[in-house]
Amino acid sequence: MRNCRYRGLQKARLQHVFTALAINVIRLCTWLDGGRPKGTRVSRFAQLRAA
């Protein structure tokens, strides 16, 4: 999402909305198939601190 394909605020916003929609559809399909949502990622610094 950092590099937008389109120029102009309205088109860029539309692309971001469609991208978010696609991510949510993928999450919904995974959830309906019985998959568990992934947890939040742990940063490298937090991993080192925990060790």
Side-chain angles (χ1 to χ4, degrees):
M1 281 189 6
R2 292 179 190 205
N3 295 325
C4 188
R5 173 181 290 189
Y6 303 106
R7 297 185 106 179
L9 189 58
Q10 293 174 342
K11 290 181 180 180
R13 184 176 192 289
L14 187 63
Q15 180 182 350
H16 294 308
V17 168
F18 282 144
T19 302
L21 179 68
I23 291 170
N24 287 332
V25 166
I26 291 169
R27 288 179 180 169
L28 179 65
C29 290
T30 302
W31 180 72
L32 290 174
D33 286 339
R36 301 214 20 122
K38 295 180 181 176
T40 57
R41 83 175 175 85
V42 179
S43 70
R44 303 279 278 162
F45 182 71
Q47 289 174 358
L48 288 173
R49 192 178 61 188

